[in-house]
Amino acid sequence: MEMMASIGEFDPLNTRVPATKIEVTVSCRLQVPTCKSHTGSSLKLKAFSIFYLFHTSPLSLCLPVVVLYVQAVGTKEWREFGRTEVIDNTRNPDFVRKFVLDFFFEEKQNLRFDVYNVDSRSCNISKHDFLGQTFCTLGEIIVPNIPSVVPVATIITLKSPCLIWQDIATMQLCANKLDKKDFFGKSDPFLVFYRSNEDGTFTICHKTEVIKNTLNPVWQSFTIPVRALCNGDYDRTVKVDVYDWDRDGSHDFIGEFTTSYRELSRGQNQFNVYEVLNPKKKGKKKKYINSGTVTLLSFKVESEYTFPTSLHYMSPYQMNAYAMALKAVGEIIQDYDSDKLFPAYGFGAKLPPDGKISHAFPLNGDGEHPNCVGIEGVLEAYFQSLRTVQLYGPTNFAPVINKVANCASEITDGSQYFVLLMITDGVISDMVQTKEAVVNAASLPMSVIIVGVGPAEFDAMEELDGDEVRVSSRGRLAERDIVQFVPFRDYIDRSGNQVLSMARLAKDVLAEIPDQLLSFMKSRGIEPRPSMSSSPLHRHI
């Protein structure tokens, strides 16, 4: 069976994005199998008997018809989409009637083509002789007709060990005499906690709830992993900002103070009363003392076993969040890769045998050949790496972005476009370097997809997604918006249906890739290659 696709124009007025129409033409070539077919599958044996009848009886007729089915997302139910016309007395039909389908890059659109020999006038397809069937995705059909091949580089953060005890801190704070920020009221204060990084930057690790209309708030107690607060360094600076909440998101800065895990662990005492200072007000007012105080009311640390709840935990019954995200995105985008070989890396681990720390190591353990065969190969390498490496922080994004950028910089003629998929729990340690890497990569044929898994605060990730404010570094704006971030938890089906969860994730996370690819092509004046409708997709039935 051969299938050819021609691509229609995008309709900017259609609110369902994308509104690309794919016209699929089908032809079949029925061949006489050799006797070796008897040792093949049951489908081949059935085809053999049918073909044998055709070729031994001069009076036999073949009236072929092809029925197209599309698979529903979630239910996996096959639904008939349409049928070709019936062609009289031929074993090599070229059907005129075409199938016109809506193409959605971000969805895996499974197709099934069933071939029948019509032997009655019945509209019931089951009344006819079934010759065979073939399966493919719509993406596979159009690959020869798109201007660029899309290789996938997959990066999985291997950060949180599967078998560890971790310390969980529980604390409660209150404030006193905070500055009044609201014209018709007092203030609506909340706290934002930041962990300091080695490069002097800060990473958000917790936000409290907002307490409305008060200058003396008492926040609810909250829990946070000690590692998220200080990354194992008890003397690492913890910065706390105090804000007045505003409905439009332009929260007013009240002030800040610094502490450390070691100081907090001492519990309620005179040293854990912090002055909230506003540097701008302090510089303008000579008599300025502070903008209020924040007091630690309670603090305790408990250890808990994290094996059942680890984001990397390999349950025998279902995939973990990392595997679900990888499979959801990878199974769709792999259709646009010509060789189905995907370099896959992890970062944040000590490697055997000497315990060397790496922020970009091949999941398959082969430094010279990091490619995995298909998404299933990537998943296999991921699960195997969990058994061989010692997971270790910090988490640096810049090295892996730069690694893919180096590959993309070598092929800028439009023949290839690189998509970097990063799956992470959101804790980033090198924000300054990552912004620089994104700005540099924005001029190259590549996109970065970040999927956040777990319950972490993803403010840092959202900062990299330039939908509203373009990423900048050292005064330079990114040439294009190339980063798409989504938190996986927003797509998890409440009924526990993993198929629906993955479909929803893939639909959103891949939605921007076509426009990002086109923006690069247009910026470089690269024209699409002529349609390759003469090079059909071949499928055996």
Side-chain angles (χ1 to χ4, degrees):
M1 176 181 287
E2 298 177 350
M3 289 166 281
M4 296 180 290
S6 59
I7 303 176
E9 294 183 354
F10 175 74
D11 179 3
L13 299 180
N14 193 321
T15 57
R16 193 178 180 194
V17 179
T20 302
K21 300 287 186 181
I22 302 297
E23 187 179 80
V24 179
T25 303
V26 180
S27 62
C28 298
R29 295 294 179 264
L30 303 180
Q31 300 173 351
V32 182
T34 64
C35 292
K36 292 181 180 179
S37 295
H38 287 290
T39 61
S41 67
S42 58
L43 179 59
K44 288 183 178 178
L45 286 171
K46 185 172 184 180
F48 176 82
S49 63
I50 293 171
F51 290 135
Y52 184 79
L53 176 64
F54 291 161
H55 284 267
T56 55
S57 173
L59 299 178
S60 64
L61 298 177
C62 182
L63 306 174
V65 64
V66 174
V67 183
L68 170 61
Y69 295 86
V70 297
Q71 190 174 43
V73 176
T75 65
K76 294 297 183 180
E77 177 187 0
W78 288 103
R79 300 171 181 170
E80 182 175 334
F81 181 85
R83 304 180 185 185
T84 65
E85 74 278 16
V86 178
I87 299 183
D88 292 343
N89 195 22
T90 179
R91 302 182 186 91
N92 299 291
D94 294 311
F95 296 101
V96 176
R97 186 176 299 165
K98 306 177 189 301
F99 300 113
V100 180
L101 300 98
D102 288 322
F103 170 61
F104 298 93
F105 176 84
E106 66 273 17
E107 296 179 12
K108 184 176 184 181
Q109 297 172 264
N110 291 321
L111 308 178
R112 189 184 90 203
F113 295 85
D114 288 2
V115 185
Y116 289 87
N117 177 38
V118 177
D119 62 359
S120 72
R121 295 183 179 181
S122 173
C123 293
N124 186 347
I125 199 67
S126 64
K127 301 293 185 180
H128 306 300
D129 294 329
F130 176 70
L131 301 184
Q133 63 186 184
T134 187
F135 299 84
C136 67
T137 66
L138 186 55
E140 288 179 280
I141 295 177
I142 73 166
V143 162
N145 299 278
I146 60 176
S148 299
V149 176
V150 184
V152 180
T154 305
I155 305 296
I156 300 177
T157 60
L158 301 179
K159 297 186 60 286
S160 303
C162 293
L163 298 170
I164 62 170
W165 286 86
Q166 71 171 356
D167 291 335
I168 303 294
T170 302
M171 68 183 85
Q172 184 179 22
L173 300 99
C174 68
N176 188 42
K177 296 182 179 179
L178 296 176
D179 285 349
K180 177 179 178 297
K181 290 291 185 178
D182 293 341
F183 186 77
F184 292 108
K186 297 179 181 179
S187 287
D188 304 320
F190 66 95
L191 304 177
V192 183
F193 286 72
Y194 300 87
R195 182 191 72 247
S196 62
N197 302 316
E198 286 78 1
D199 58 6
T201 60
F202 289 88
T203 297
I204 187 172
C205 54
H206 183 74
K207 283 182 183 178
T208 68
E209 77 279 13
V210 176
I211 306 295
K212 293 292 189 70
N213 196 30
T214 180
L215 303 181
N216 303 294
V218 179
W219 290 282
Q220 296 180 9
S221 61
F222 65 90
T223 61
I224 182 173
V226 171
R227 183 174 176 273
L229 194 63
C230 66
N231 203 26
D233 179 1
Y234 290 176
D235 296 311
R236 183 185 293 257
T237 298
V238 175
K239 184 168 75 79
V240 183
D241 287 351
V242 186
Y243 285 94
D244 167 51
W245 177 85
D246 285 332
R247 187 180 301 276
D248 62 2
S250 58
H251 310 308
D252 298 319
F253 178 70
I254 296 177
E256 63 185 10
F257 64 91
T258 60
T259 182
S260 67
Y261 171 78
R262 192 179 300 280
E263 290 181 7
L264 292 170
S265 65
R266 294 170 181 159
Q268 184 180 25
N269 60 54
Q270 60 181 339
F271 299 106
N272 278 329
V273 178
Y274 303 96
E275 285 191 300
V276 178
L277 300 178
N278 188 318
K280 289 186 178 180
K281 293 185 68 173
K282 186 175 181 180
K284 293 179 180 179
K285 298 182 179 180
K286 293 183 179 180
K287 295 183 179 181
Y288 176 81
I289 299 177
N290 59 50
S291 295
T293 60
V294 171
T295 301
L296 178 67
L297 294 178
S298 63
F299 187 93
K300 67 177 181 179
V301 177
E302 296 177 321
S303 295
E304 68 176 25
Y305 194 45
T306 63
F307 179 83
T309 58
S310 167
L311 295 173
H312 291 291
Y313 172 55
M314 293 182 291
S315 167
Y317 307 108
Q318 62 181 11
M319 292 183 291
N320 64 30
Y322 280 84
M324 287 176 64
L326 175 60
K327 190 176 180 69
V329 178
E331 282 196 340
I332 292 177
I333 208 168
Q334 72 175 350
D335 288 345
Y336 306 92
D337 182 79
S338 56
D339 58 13
K340 302 296 187 289
L341 296 177
F342 308 122
Y345 298 88
F347 59 101
K350 288 184 176 180
L351 307 184
D354 55 1
K356 180 181 178 181
I357 299 174
S358 174
H359 298 295
F361 62 91
L363 290 182
N364 64 4
D366 190 338
E368 294 185 1
H369 303 93
N371 288 336
C372 301
V373 180
I375 293 303
E376 291 302 321
V378 176
L379 285 168
E380 182 180 347
Y382 161 56
F383 291 130
Q384 181 60 34
S385 69
L386 292 176
R387 304 183 182 97
T388 57
V389 304
Q390 179 185 350
L391 309 177
Y392 197 81
T395 302
N396 296 333
F397 280 27
V400 291
I401 295 176
N402 289 332
K403 179 180 283 289
V404 177
N406 288 338
C407 296
S409 65
E410 297 177 358
I411 308 173
T412 59
D413 60 356
S415 62
Q416 293 192 12
Y417 191 86
F418 292 76
V419 178
L420 168 61
L421 169 62
M422 303 182 74
I423 308 172
T424 178
D425 65 5
V427 180
I428 181 172
S429 304
D430 62 339
M431 179 58 79
V432 173
Q433 292 87 344
T434 297
K435 286 184 177 180
E436 179 76 8
V438 170
V439 170
N440 292 336
S443 62
L444 300 171
M446 66 177 286
S447 293
V448 181
I449 296 173
I450 304 176
V451 178
V453 297
E457 295 285 350
F458 289 119
D459 296 61
M461 298 299 97
E462 291 171 352
E463 189 177 347
L464 294 175
D465 190 333
D467 285 344
E468 297 181 2
V469 179
R470 191 71 59 83
V471 178
S472 64
S473 175
R474 295 192 292 183
R476 291 190 304 137
L477 281 176
E479 181 179 319
R480 299 181 297 127
D481 172 22
I482 64 168
V483 178
Q484 169 76 343
F485 165 77
V486 295
F488 193 17
R489 61 184 176 228
D490 291 354
Y491 301 89
I492 296 178
D493 181 66
R494 292 182 179 180
S495 67
N497 189 323
Q498 287 194 341
V499 174
L500 278 179
S501 300
M502 292 190 291
R504 291 169 180 169
L505 171 71
K507 186 175 180 63
D508 265 17
V509 82
L510 292 171
E512 295 184 8
I513 297 297
D515 285 343
Q516 290 175 357
L517 184 151
L518 289 174
S519 70
F520 174 80
M521 299 299 178
K522 290 179 180 178
S523 69
R524 299 298 183 271
I526 300 174
E527 297 291 334
R529 296 198 299 266
S531 175
M532 297 175 63
S533 57
S534 59
S535 300
L537 175 69
H538 296 263
R539 286 285 172 172
H540 295 286
I541 62 173

